[in-house]
Amino acid sequence: MKPVEWKGTYVKVLDQTLLPEEVKFMEIRDAQVMWDAIKMLCVRGAPAIGVGAGYGVAIEMQKHVKESTAEYHKKLKETIEYLATSRPTAVNLFWALDRMKETGEKYADESNEVCQKALEETAINIEKYEENACISIGENALTLLKDGMTLLTHCNAGGLATVHYGTALSPMLLGKERNINFKVYADETRPLLQGARLTAWELNQAGVDVTVITDNMAGMVMKQGKIDAVIVGCDRVAANGDAANKIGTYSVAVLAKHHNIPFYIAGPVSTIDMNTPTGDDIPIEERSAEEITCGFGKRTVPEGVKVYNPAFDVVPHELITAIITDKGIIANPDKEKVAQVVNAK
């Protein structure tokens, strides 16, 4: 089930805020609605956000083809800058928008119709890249895992967060197709429960043995010897190998280190930001207090009490056993090793 799909005259988007109770698709026909969909987590997951943003540019610009070339390219610049404000942490958003910007510049002297076709092709190619990257990540991850292992994951890094098998879930789903079976513990992932609502739903749909636990149970199941490896996705990897992922991932990494359990980050090379030196430089989105105080329609925090709600935390590279990318595995990541993979042909 694709979370984002190009339909030529609109973008078909799965509203992930309604899962698992309801499967509902949106028809997005302009950049503002795509911005809202990304901000409100209808579209979520770093690769899927990038794909959605690319298509958001393409669908918006369809409305301006008949304008003058100057007006068309002015609107293109404004649309790209606008979509870039939707979420600050997932670097795939900016990577995809940079591809769209480069295409616009390349075809600046052509007709609007030619430029529009090129923009749409670029957006489609962004999706194809992420799709192929998911398969490669799964293939590379399977070289580190063994049949019968029990894995723990946090948040959602499956097809809902990407466009195909996912990143962290890719080896689980690929493995299932090849009779390589894993048991999976999915952290609930508070406050929005992406693990419980989305990861559990995806894995259960695929016939993977999945058990949901609350975030604060991870240490106990590790101590009990139930976890063989941890694998999670990422929203941005800094040049030195530090990795930002959904809030709570840092705690899982610390626990895995204490219990001598391999901790793997899975993500495409498009998620590595060589312009961000370390994890301290990654912008961390802070979201609305209501996600905690009134989560899922019920108030659980007294009125007037302050709330701190960062959406992500950063795992230092020293806690990461390996970063699994579409271009290869970065064991014990550091600045030099990350650069080698990013620059590989």
Side-chain angles (χ1 to χ4, degrees), residues 4 6 11 34 38 47-61 76 79-80 83 92-93 95-100 116 119-124 126-127:
V4 183
W6 177 250
V11 187
M34 183 62 79
I38 293 171
I49 288 172
V51 172
Y55 284 143
V57 172
I59 204 68
E60 175 66 30
M61 294 312 299
L76 175 60
T79 300
I80 290 170
L83 284 167
N92 299 63
L93 170 66
W95 175 85
L97 291 175
D98 282 346
R99 303 290 85 73
M100 301 300 286
Q116 179 63 32
L119 287 171
E120 293 176 11
E121 288 176 352
T122 298
I124 290 168
I126 289 170
E127 179 181 356

PDB file of all heavy atoms in Angstrom, residues 4 6 11 34 38 47-61 76 79-80 83 92-93 95-100 116 119-124 126-127:
ATOM      1  N   VAL A   4       2.087   7.454  -0.662  1.00  0.00           N
ATOM      2  CA  VAL A   4       2.052   8.599  -1.572  1.00  0.00           C
ATOM      3  C   VAL A   4       2.116   8.056  -2.998  1.00  0.00           C
ATOM      4  O   VAL A   4       2.998   7.273  -3.325  1.00  0.00           O
ATOM      5  CB  VAL A   4       3.236   9.559  -1.337  1.00  0.00           C
ATOM      6  CG1 VAL A   4       3.123  10.761  -2.254  1.00  0.00           C
ATOM      7  CG2 VAL A   4       3.318   9.994   0.119  1.00  0.00           C
ATOM      8  N   TRP A   6       1.557   9.209  -7.254  1.00  0.00           N
ATOM      9  CA  TRP A   6       1.299  10.197  -8.297  1.00  0.00           C
ATOM     10  C   TRP A   6       0.198   9.701  -9.220  1.00  0.00           C
ATOM     11  O   TRP A   6       0.262   8.582  -9.742  1.00  0.00           O
ATOM     12  CB  TRP A   6       2.575  10.454  -9.081  1.00  0.00           C
ATOM     13  CG  TRP A   6       2.463  11.393 -10.225  1.00  0.00           C
ATOM     14  CD1 TRP A   6       2.542  11.083 -11.553  1.00  0.00           C
ATOM     15  CD2 TRP A   6       2.263  12.813 -10.163  1.00  0.00           C
ATOM     16  NE1 TRP A   6       2.422  12.224 -12.317  1.00  0.00           N
ATOM     17  CE2 TRP A   6       2.248  13.300 -11.495  1.00  0.00           C
ATOM     18  CE3 TRP A   6       2.108  13.714  -9.105  1.00  0.00           C
ATOM     19  CZ2 TRP A   6       2.066  14.650 -11.791  1.00  0.00           C
ATOM     20  CZ3 TRP A   6       1.930  15.069  -9.406  1.00  0.00           C
ATOM     21  CH2 TRP A   6       1.912  15.514 -10.732  1.00  0.00           C
ATOM     22  N   VAL A  11      -2.319  13.964  -6.270  1.00  0.00           N
ATOM     23  CA  VAL A  11      -1.462  13.041  -5.526  1.00  0.00           C
ATOM     24  C   VAL A  11      -2.340  12.281  -4.544  1.00  0.00           C
ATOM     25  O   VAL A  11      -3.062  12.891  -3.744  1.00  0.00           O
ATOM     26  CB  VAL A  11      -0.344  13.781  -4.767  1.00  0.00           C
ATOM     27  CG1 VAL A  11       0.627  12.780  -4.159  1.00  0.00           C
ATOM     28  CG2 VAL A  11       0.388  14.753  -5.680  1.00  0.00           C
ATOM     29  N   MET A  34      -0.664  19.711   0.610  1.00  0.00           N
ATOM     30  CA  MET A  34       0.461  18.811   0.855  1.00  0.00           C
ATOM     31  C   MET A  34       1.246  19.261   2.087  1.00  0.00           C
ATOM     32  O   MET A  34       1.678  18.436   2.899  1.00  0.00           O
ATOM     33  CB  MET A  34       1.375  18.749  -0.365  1.00  0.00           C
ATOM     34  CG  MET A  34       2.547  17.770  -0.213  1.00  0.00           C
ATOM     35  SD  MET A  34       2.025  16.047   0.018  1.00  0.00           S
ATOM     36  CE  MET A  34       1.632  15.603  -1.686  1.00  0.00           C
ATOM     37  N   ILE A  38       1.839  16.915   5.399  1.00  0.00           N
ATOM     38  CA  ILE A  38       3.153  16.608   5.971  1.00  0.00           C
ATOM     39  C   ILE A  38       3.222  17.070   7.427  1.00  0.00           C
ATOM     40  O   ILE A  38       3.657  16.330   8.310  1.00  0.00           O
ATOM     41  CB  ILE A  38       4.271  17.250   5.136  1.00  0.00           C
ATOM     42  CG1 ILE A  38       4.339  16.595   3.749  1.00  0.00           C
ATOM     43  CG2 ILE A  38       5.624  17.123   5.844  1.00  0.00           C
ATOM     44  CD1 ILE A  38       5.263  17.305   2.774  1.00  0.00           C
ATOM     45  N   PRO A  47      11.684   9.336   4.036  1.00  0.00           N
ATOM     46  CA  PRO A  47      11.605   9.157   2.569  1.00  0.00           C
ATOM     47  C   PRO A  47      10.247   9.538   1.989  1.00  0.00           C
ATOM     48  O   PRO A  47      10.178  10.176   0.936  1.00  0.00           O
ATOM     49  CB  PRO A  47      11.892   7.654   2.393  1.00  0.00           C
ATOM     50  CG  PRO A  47      12.718   7.289   3.592  1.00  0.00           C
ATOM     51  CD  PRO A  47      12.111   8.081   4.710  1.00  0.00           C
ATOM     52  N   ALA A  48       9.158   9.164   2.685  1.00  0.00           N
ATOM     53  CA  ALA A  48       7.826   9.490   2.173  1.00  0.00           C
ATOM     54  C   ALA A  48       7.574  10.993   2.183  1.00  0.00           C
ATOM     55  O   ALA A  48       6.900  11.524   1.296  1.00  0.00           O
ATOM     56  CB  ALA A  48       6.751   8.773   2.999  1.00  0.00           C
ATOM     57  N   ILE A  49       8.113  11.695   3.176  1.00  0.00           N
ATOM     58  CA  ILE A  49       7.990  13.155   3.214  1.00  0.00           C
ATOM     59  C   ILE A  49       8.672  13.761   1.992  1.00  0.00           C
ATOM     60  O   ILE A  49       8.139  14.668   1.353  1.00  0.00           O
ATOM     61  CB  ILE A  49       8.584  13.710   4.522  1.00  0.00           C
ATOM     62  CG1 ILE A  49       7.673  13.370   5.704  1.00  0.00           C
ATOM     63  CG2 ILE A  49       8.781  15.215   4.428  1.00  0.00           C
ATOM     64  CD1 ILE A  49       8.278  13.707   7.056  1.00  0.00           C
ATOM     65  N   GLY A  50       9.869  13.257   1.662  1.00  0.00           N
ATOM     66  CA  GLY A  50      10.564  13.750   0.479  1.00  0.00           C
ATOM     67  C   GLY A  50       9.782  13.505  -0.797  1.00  0.00           C
ATOM     68  O   GLY A  50       9.655  14.395  -1.656  1.00  0.00           O
ATOM     69  N   VAL A  51       9.243  12.310  -0.927  1.00  0.00           N
ATOM     70  CA  VAL A  51       8.433  11.976  -2.108  1.00  0.00           C
ATOM     71  C   VAL A  51       7.208  12.880  -2.170  1.00  0.00           C
ATOM     72  O   VAL A  51       6.865  13.437  -3.225  1.00  0.00           O
ATOM     73  CB  VAL A  51       8.025  10.493  -2.080  1.00  0.00           C
ATOM     74  CG1 VAL A  51       7.026  10.190  -3.196  1.00  0.00           C
ATOM     75  CG2 VAL A  51       9.253   9.597  -2.226  1.00  0.00           C
ATOM     76  N   GLY A  52       6.531  13.043  -1.024  1.00  0.00           N
ATOM     77  CA  GLY A  52       5.345  13.896  -0.984  1.00  0.00           C
ATOM     78  C   GLY A  52       5.658  15.331  -1.362  1.00  0.00           C
ATOM     79  O   GLY A  52       4.901  15.985  -2.092  1.00  0.00           O
ATOM     80  N   ALA A  53       6.791  15.843  -0.878  1.00  0.00           N
ATOM     81  CA  ALA A  53       7.170  17.215  -1.193  1.00  0.00           C
ATOM     82  C   ALA A  53       7.454  17.388  -2.682  1.00  0.00           C
ATOM     83  O   ALA A  53       7.060  18.385  -3.294  1.00  0.00           O
ATOM     84  CB  ALA A  53       8.389  17.614  -0.376  1.00  0.00           C
ATOM     85  N   GLY A  54       8.146  16.405  -3.282  1.00  0.00           N
ATOM     86  CA  GLY A  54       8.416  16.469  -4.708  1.00  0.00           C
ATOM     87  C   GLY A  54       7.136  16.511  -5.521  1.00  0.00           C
ATOM     88  O   GLY A  54       6.988  17.344  -6.434  1.00  0.00           O
ATOM     89  N   TYR A  55       6.208  15.652  -5.164  1.00  0.00           N
ATOM     90  CA  TYR A  55       4.926  15.649  -5.862  1.00  0.00           C
ATOM     91  C   TYR A  55       4.115  16.908  -5.548  1.00  0.00           C
ATOM     92  O   TYR A  55       3.340  17.385  -6.385  1.00  0.00           O
ATOM     93  CB  TYR A  55       4.127  14.396  -5.489  1.00  0.00           C
ATOM     94  CG  TYR A  55       4.631  13.139  -6.168  1.00  0.00           C
ATOM     95  CD1 TYR A  55       4.643  11.908  -5.493  1.00  0.00           C
ATOM     96  CD2 TYR A  55       5.071  13.155  -7.477  1.00  0.00           C
ATOM     97  CE1 TYR A  55       5.087  10.749  -6.108  1.00  0.00           C
ATOM     98  CE2 TYR A  55       5.518  11.999  -8.106  1.00  0.00           C
ATOM     99  CZ  TYR A  55       5.518  10.797  -7.421  1.00  0.00           C
ATOM    100  OH  TYR A  55       5.962   9.652  -8.036  1.00  0.00           O
ATOM    101  N   GLY A  56       4.298  17.450  -4.343  1.00  0.00           N
ATOM    102  CA  GLY A  56       3.606  18.685  -3.983  1.00  0.00           C
ATOM    103  C   GLY A  56       4.016  19.833  -4.876  1.00  0.00           C
ATOM    104  O   GLY A  56       3.183  20.656  -5.291  1.00  0.00           O
ATOM    105  N   VAL A  57       5.300  19.906  -5.190  1.00  0.00           N
ATOM    106  CA  VAL A  57       5.787  20.928  -6.120  1.00  0.00           C
ATOM    107  C   VAL A  57       5.177  20.703  -7.505  1.00  0.00           C
ATOM    108  O   VAL A  57       4.656  21.635  -8.143  1.00  0.00           O
ATOM    109  CB  VAL A  57       7.326  20.907  -6.213  1.00  0.00           C
ATOM    110  CG1 VAL A  57       7.814  21.831  -7.326  1.00  0.00           C
ATOM    111  CG2 VAL A  57       7.952  21.303  -4.880  1.00  0.00           C
ATOM    112  N   ALA A  58       5.243  19.469  -7.970  1.00  0.00           N
ATOM    113  CA  ALA A  58       4.773  19.162  -9.323  1.00  0.00           C
ATOM    114  C   ALA A  58       3.286  19.460  -9.488  1.00  0.00           C
ATOM    115  O   ALA A  58       2.864  20.037 -10.509  1.00  0.00           O
ATOM    116  CB  ALA A  58       5.061  17.695  -9.649  1.00  0.00           C
ATOM    117  N   ILE A  59       2.481  19.095  -8.494  1.00  0.00           N
ATOM    118  CA  ILE A  59       1.037  19.281  -8.630  1.00  0.00           C
ATOM    119  C   ILE A  59       0.668  20.751  -8.533  1.00  0.00           C
ATOM    120  O   ILE A  59      -0.238  21.236  -9.227  1.00  0.00           O
ATOM    121  CB  ILE A  59       0.268  18.433  -7.587  1.00  0.00           C
ATOM    122  CG1 ILE A  59      -1.149  18.160  -8.077  1.00  0.00           C
ATOM    123  CG2 ILE A  59       0.259  19.068  -6.215  1.00  0.00           C
ATOM    124  CD1 ILE A  59      -1.218  17.249  -9.280  1.00  0.00           C
ATOM    125  N   GLU A  60       1.378  21.514  -7.699  1.00  0.00           N
ATOM    126  CA  GLU A  60       1.118  22.946  -7.588  1.00  0.00           C
ATOM    127  C   GLU A  60       1.438  23.660  -8.898  1.00  0.00           C
ATOM    128  O   GLU A  60       0.685  24.527  -9.346  1.00  0.00           O
ATOM    129  CB  GLU A  60       1.946  23.543  -6.449  1.00  0.00           C
ATOM    130  CG  GLU A  60       1.858  25.057  -6.322  1.00  0.00           C
ATOM    131  CD  GLU A  60       0.481  25.553  -5.932  1.00  0.00           C
ATOM    132  OE1 GLU A  60      -0.250  24.808  -5.217  1.00  0.00           O
ATOM    133  OE2 GLU A  60       0.120  26.687  -6.335  1.00  0.00           O
ATOM    134  N   MET A  61       2.549  23.281  -9.512  1.00  0.00           N
ATOM    135  CA  MET A  61       3.005  23.996 -10.701  1.00  0.00           C
ATOM    136  C   MET A  61       2.143  23.726 -11.931  1.00  0.00           C
ATOM    137  O   MET A  61       2.182  24.483 -12.905  1.00  0.00           O
ATOM    138  CB  MET A  61       4.473  23.672 -10.987  1.00  0.00           C
ATOM    139  CG  MET A  61       5.431  24.178  -9.905  1.00  0.00           C
ATOM    140  SD  MET A  61       5.121  25.915  -9.444  1.00  0.00           S
ATOM    141  CE  MET A  61       5.400  26.734 -11.016  1.00  0.00           C
ATOM    142  N   LEU A  76       7.467  28.725  -8.720  1.00  0.00           N
ATOM    143  CA  LEU A  76       8.211  27.498  -8.413  1.00  0.00           C
ATOM    144  C   LEU A  76       9.125  27.727  -7.216  1.00  0.00           C
ATOM    145  O   LEU A  76       9.177  26.904  -6.289  1.00  0.00           O
ATOM    146  CB  LEU A  76       9.024  27.058  -9.631  1.00  0.00           C
ATOM    147  CG  LEU A  76       9.954  25.861  -9.444  1.00  0.00           C
ATOM    148  CD1 LEU A  76       9.168  24.620  -9.030  1.00  0.00           C
ATOM    149  CD2 LEU A  76      10.736  25.593 -10.734  1.00  0.00           C
ATOM    150  N   THR A  79       7.025  27.987  -4.048  1.00  0.00           N
ATOM    151  CA  THR A  79       6.448  26.693  -3.646  1.00  0.00           C
ATOM    152  C   THR A  79       7.489  25.822  -2.956  1.00  0.00           C
ATOM    153  O   THR A  79       7.209  25.191  -1.932  1.00  0.00           O
ATOM    154  CB  THR A  79       5.883  25.969  -4.887  1.00  0.00           C
ATOM    155  OG1 THR A  79       4.860  26.781  -5.476  1.00  0.00           O
ATOM    156  CG2 THR A  79       5.300  24.614  -4.508  1.00  0.00           C
ATOM    157  N   ILE A  80       8.685  25.780  -3.508  1.00  0.00           N
ATOM    158  CA  ILE A  80       9.760  24.987  -2.909  1.00  0.00           C
ATOM    159  C   ILE A  80      10.102  25.528  -1.519  1.00  0.00           C
ATOM    160  O   ILE A  80      10.235  24.758  -0.544  1.00  0.00           O
ATOM    161  CB  ILE A  80      10.994  24.984  -3.825  1.00  0.00           C
ATOM    162  CG1 ILE A  80      10.701  24.161  -5.087  1.00  0.00           C
ATOM    163  CG2 ILE A  80      12.225  24.435  -3.094  1.00  0.00           C
ATOM    164  CD1 ILE A  80      11.749  24.276  -6.167  1.00  0.00           C
ATOM    165  N   LEU A  83       7.147  24.607   0.978  1.00  0.00           N
ATOM    166  CA  LEU A  83       7.107  23.205   1.410  1.00  0.00           C
ATOM    167  C   LEU A  83       8.270  22.874   2.341  1.00  0.00           C
ATOM    168  O   LEU A  83       8.145  22.003   3.215  1.00  0.00           O
ATOM    169  CB  LEU A  83       7.103  22.283   0.188  1.00  0.00           C
ATOM    170  CG  LEU A  83       5.760  22.200  -0.549  1.00  0.00           C
ATOM    171  CD1 LEU A  83       5.922  21.536  -1.906  1.00  0.00           C
ATOM    172  CD2 LEU A  83       4.723  21.457   0.287  1.00  0.00           C
ATOM    173  N   ASN A  92      15.374  14.278   4.066  1.00  0.00           N
ATOM    174  CA  ASN A  92      14.874  13.878   2.746  1.00  0.00           C
ATOM    175  C   ASN A  92      13.961  14.945   2.150  1.00  0.00           C
ATOM    176  O   ASN A  92      13.880  15.087   0.927  1.00  0.00           O
ATOM    177  CB  ASN A  92      14.109  12.553   2.838  1.00  0.00           C
ATOM    178  CG  ASN A  92      14.970  11.424   3.330  1.00  0.00           C
ATOM    179  OD1 ASN A  92      15.441  11.483   4.464  1.00  0.00           O
ATOM    180  ND2 ASN A  92      15.167  10.407   2.523  1.00  0.00           N
ATOM    181  N   LEU A  93      13.274  15.686   3.001  1.00  0.00           N
ATOM    182  CA  LEU A  93      12.432  16.780   2.537  1.00  0.00           C
ATOM    183  C   LEU A  93      13.258  17.777   1.736  1.00  0.00           C
ATOM    184  O   LEU A  93      12.899  18.155   0.613  1.00  0.00           O
ATOM    185  CB  LEU A  93      11.774  17.466   3.739  1.00  0.00           C
ATOM    186  CG  LEU A  93      11.047  18.790   3.470  1.00  0.00           C
ATOM    187  CD1 LEU A  93       9.829  18.563   2.594  1.00  0.00           C
ATOM    188  CD2 LEU A  93      10.658  19.451   4.784  1.00  0.00           C
ATOM    189  N   TRP A  95      16.359  17.340   0.584  1.00  0.00           N
ATOM    190  CA  TRP A  95      17.036  16.644  -0.512  1.00  0.00           C
ATOM    191  C   TRP A  95      16.126  16.596  -1.738  1.00  0.00           C
ATOM    192  O   TRP A  95      16.551  16.894  -2.858  1.00  0.00           O
ATOM    193  CB  TRP A  95      17.417  15.234  -0.063  1.00  0.00           C
ATOM    194  CG  TRP A  95      18.012  14.374  -1.137  1.00  0.00           C
ATOM    195  CD1 TRP A  95      19.316  14.331  -1.519  1.00  0.00           C
ATOM    196  CD2 TRP A  95      17.319  13.420  -1.962  1.00  0.00           C
ATOM    197  NE1 TRP A  95      19.483  13.412  -2.532  1.00  0.00           N
ATOM    198  CE2 TRP A  95      18.287  12.844  -2.820  1.00  0.00           C
ATOM    199  CE3 TRP A  95      15.997  12.999  -2.047  1.00  0.00           C
ATOM    200  CZ2 TRP A  95      17.942  11.863  -3.759  1.00  0.00           C
ATOM    201  CZ3 TRP A  95      15.659  12.031  -2.986  1.00  0.00           C
ATOM    202  CH2 TRP A  95      16.633  11.477  -3.829  1.00  0.00           C
ATOM    203  N   ALA A  96      14.865  16.238  -1.522  1.00  0.00           N
ATOM    204  CA  ALA A  96      13.924  16.147  -2.637  1.00  0.00           C
ATOM    205  C   ALA A  96      13.641  17.531  -3.228  1.00  0.00           C
ATOM    206  O   ALA A  96      13.602  17.702  -4.450  1.00  0.00           O
ATOM    207  CB  ALA A  96      12.623  15.496  -2.176  1.00  0.00           C
ATOM    208  N   LEU A  97      13.444  18.511  -2.366  1.00  0.00           N
ATOM    209  CA  LEU A  97      13.170  19.860  -2.857  1.00  0.00           C
ATOM    210  C   LEU A  97      14.363  20.439  -3.608  1.00  0.00           C
ATOM    211  O   LEU A  97      14.191  21.198  -4.574  1.00  0.00           O
ATOM    212  CB  LEU A  97      12.761  20.766  -1.701  1.00  0.00           C
ATOM    213  CG  LEU A  97      11.400  20.446  -1.075  1.00  0.00           C
ATOM    214  CD1 LEU A  97      11.151  21.319   0.150  1.00  0.00           C
ATOM    215  CD2 LEU A  97      10.260  20.618  -2.091  1.00  0.00           C
ATOM    216  N   ASP A  98      15.572  20.082  -3.199  1.00  0.00           N
ATOM    217  CA  ASP A  98      16.763  20.512  -3.949  1.00  0.00           C
ATOM    218  C   ASP A  98      16.765  19.922  -5.350  1.00  0.00           C
ATOM    219  O   ASP A  98      17.185  20.573  -6.315  1.00  0.00           O
ATOM    220  CB  ASP A  98      18.037  20.101  -3.210  1.00  0.00           C
ATOM    221  CG  ASP A  98      18.355  21.011  -2.033  1.00  0.00           C
ATOM    222  OD1 ASP A  98      17.752  22.105  -1.943  1.00  0.00           O
ATOM    223  OD2 ASP A  98      19.191  20.618  -1.195  1.00  0.00           O
ATOM    224  N   ARG A  99      16.311  18.641  -5.477  1.00  0.00           N
ATOM    225  CA  ARG A  99      16.244  18.035  -6.809  1.00  0.00           C
ATOM    226  C   ARG A  99      15.244  18.792  -7.695  1.00  0.00           C
ATOM    227  O   ARG A  99      15.483  19.016  -8.879  1.00  0.00           O
ATOM    228  CB  ARG A  99      15.806  16.560  -6.705  1.00  0.00           C
ATOM    229  CG  ARG A  99      16.645  15.651  -5.842  1.00  0.00           C
ATOM    230  CD  ARG A  99      18.004  15.358  -6.436  1.00  0.00           C
ATOM    231  NE  ARG A  99      18.974  16.371  -6.128  1.00  0.00           N
ATOM    232  CZ  ARG A  99      19.540  16.543  -4.924  1.00  0.00           C
ATOM    233  NH1 ARG A  99      19.239  15.751  -3.915  1.00  0.00           N
ATOM    234  NH2 ARG A  99      20.426  17.487  -4.724  1.00  0.00           N
ATOM    235  N   MET A 100      14.131  19.192  -7.103  1.00  0.00           N
ATOM    236  CA  MET A 100      13.122  19.929  -7.856  1.00  0.00           C
ATOM    237  C   MET A 100      13.653  21.305  -8.240  1.00  0.00           C
ATOM    238  O   MET A 100      13.429  21.779  -9.364  1.00  0.00           O
ATOM    239  CB  MET A 100      11.835  20.048  -7.027  1.00  0.00           C
ATOM    240  CG  MET A 100      11.222  18.715  -6.616  1.00  0.00           C
ATOM    241  SD  MET A 100      10.761  17.653  -8.008  1.00  0.00           S
ATOM    242  CE  MET A 100       9.285  18.489  -8.615  1.00  0.00           C
ATOM    243  N   GLN A 116       7.590  21.832 -16.841  1.00  0.00           N
ATOM    244  CA  GLN A 116       6.611  21.109 -16.026  1.00  0.00           C
ATOM    245  C   GLN A 116       6.779  19.598 -16.177  1.00  0.00           C
ATOM    246  O   GLN A 116       6.750  18.854 -15.190  1.00  0.00           O
ATOM    247  CB  GLN A 116       5.189  21.522 -16.425  1.00  0.00           C
ATOM    248  CG  GLN A 116       4.089  20.816 -15.647  1.00  0.00           C
ATOM    249  CD  GLN A 116       4.116  21.121 -14.175  1.00  0.00           C
ATOM    250  OE1 GLN A 116       4.489  22.214 -13.771  1.00  0.00           O
ATOM    251  NE2 GLN A 116       3.720  20.158 -13.352  1.00  0.00           N
ATOM    252  N   LEU A 119       9.776  18.534 -14.226  1.00  0.00           N
ATOM    253  CA  LEU A 119       9.520  18.524 -12.784  1.00  0.00           C
ATOM    254  C   LEU A 119       8.765  17.255 -12.379  1.00  0.00           C
ATOM    255  O   LEU A 119       9.090  16.624 -11.359  1.00  0.00           O
ATOM    256  CB  LEU A 119       8.710  19.758 -12.382  1.00  0.00           C
ATOM    257  CG  LEU A 119       9.454  21.095 -12.370  1.00  0.00           C
ATOM    258  CD1 LEU A 119       8.467  22.246 -12.180  1.00  0.00           C
ATOM    259  CD2 LEU A 119      10.514  21.121 -11.275  1.00  0.00           C
ATOM    260  N   GLU A 120       7.776  16.898 -13.163  1.00  0.00           N
ATOM    261  CA  GLU A 120       7.003  15.696 -12.851  1.00  0.00           C
ATOM    262  C   GLU A 120       7.872  14.445 -12.955  1.00  0.00           C
ATOM    263  O   GLU A 120       7.772  13.533 -12.121  1.00  0.00           O
ATOM    264  CB  GLU A 120       5.780  15.615 -13.768  1.00  0.00           C
ATOM    265  CG  GLU A 120       4.778  16.724 -13.494  1.00  0.00           C
ATOM    266  CD  GLU A 120       3.604  16.741 -14.454  1.00  0.00           C
ATOM    267  OE1 GLU A 120       3.445  15.760 -15.227  1.00  0.00           O
ATOM    268  OE2 GLU A 120       2.840  17.724 -14.444  1.00  0.00           O
ATOM    269  N   GLU A 121       8.728  14.402 -13.958  1.00  0.00           N
ATOM    270  CA  GLU A 121       9.634  13.259 -14.103  1.00  0.00           C
ATOM    271  C   GLU A 121      10.627  13.194 -12.941  1.00  0.00           C
ATOM    272  O   GLU A 121      10.955  12.107 -12.450  1.00  0.00           O
ATOM    273  CB  GLU A 121      10.377  13.350 -15.433  1.00  0.00           C
ATOM    274  CG  GLU A 121       9.485  13.069 -16.640  1.00  0.00           C
ATOM    275  CD  GLU A 121      10.221  13.256 -17.957  1.00  0.00           C
ATOM    276  OE1 GLU A 121      11.371  13.754 -17.934  1.00  0.00           O
ATOM    277  OE2 GLU A 121       9.655  12.904 -19.008  1.00  0.00           O
ATOM    278  N   THR A 122      11.096  14.344 -12.493  1.00  0.00           N
ATOM    279  CA  THR A 122      12.017  14.373 -11.355  1.00  0.00           C
ATOM    280  C   THR A 122      11.339  13.839 -10.103  1.00  0.00           C
ATOM    281  O   THR A 122      11.926  13.049  -9.346  1.00  0.00           O
ATOM    282  CB  THR A 122      12.521  15.810 -11.108  1.00  0.00           C
ATOM    283  OG1 THR A 122      13.242  16.253 -12.255  1.00  0.00           O
ATOM    284  CG2 THR A 122      13.436  15.872  -9.890  1.00  0.00           C
ATOM    285  N   ALA A 123      10.104  14.259  -9.860  1.00  0.00           N
ATOM    286  CA  ALA A 123       9.367  13.780  -8.688  1.00  0.00           C
ATOM    287  C   ALA A 123       9.158  12.269  -8.750  1.00  0.00           C
ATOM    288  O   ALA A 123       9.311  11.558  -7.744  1.00  0.00           O
ATOM    289  CB  ALA A 123       8.024  14.504  -8.586  1.00  0.00           C
ATOM    290  N   ILE A 124       8.831  11.766  -9.926  1.00  0.00           N
ATOM    291  CA  ILE A 124       8.651  10.320 -10.100  1.00  0.00           C
ATOM    292  C   ILE A 124       9.966   9.594  -9.854  1.00  0.00           C
ATOM    293  O   ILE A 124      10.002   8.529  -9.217  1.00  0.00           O
ATOM    294  CB  ILE A 124       8.109  10.017 -11.508  1.00  0.00           C
ATOM    295  CG1 ILE A 124       6.654  10.507 -11.620  1.00  0.00           C
ATOM    296  CG2 ILE A 124       8.193   8.524 -11.820  1.00  0.00           C
ATOM    297  CD1 ILE A 124       6.117  10.524 -13.040  1.00  0.00           C
ATOM    298  N   ILE A 126      12.383  10.569  -7.900  1.00  0.00           N
ATOM    299  CA  ILE A 126      12.644  10.585  -6.455  1.00  0.00           C
ATOM    300  C   ILE A 126      11.968   9.385  -5.803  1.00  0.00           C
ATOM    301  O   ILE A 126      12.561   8.686  -4.984  1.00  0.00           O
ATOM    302  CB  ILE A 126      12.148  11.910  -5.835  1.00  0.00           C
ATOM    303  CG1 ILE A 126      13.034  13.071  -6.269  1.00  0.00           C
ATOM    304  CG2 ILE A 126      12.104  11.807  -4.302  1.00  0.00           C
ATOM    305  CD1 ILE A 126      12.484  14.444  -5.913  1.00  0.00           C
ATOM    306  N   GLU A 127      10.719   9.130  -6.199  1.00  0.00           N
ATOM    307  CA  GLU A 127      10.016   7.961  -5.658  1.00  0.00           C
ATOM    308  C   GLU A 127      10.719   6.667  -6.058  1.00  0.00           C
ATOM    309  O   GLU A 127      10.898   5.754  -5.241  1.00  0.00           O
ATOM    310  CB  GLU A 127       8.567   7.930  -6.142  1.00  0.00           C
ATOM    311  CG  GLU A 127       7.823   6.706  -5.621  1.00  0.00           C
ATOM    312  CD  GLU A 127       6.383   6.617  -6.105  1.00  0.00           C
ATOM    313  OE1 GLU A 127       5.913   7.547  -6.795  1.00  0.00           O
ATOM    314  OE2 GLU A 127       5.739   5.599  -5.797  1.00  0.00           O
TER     315      GLU A 127
END
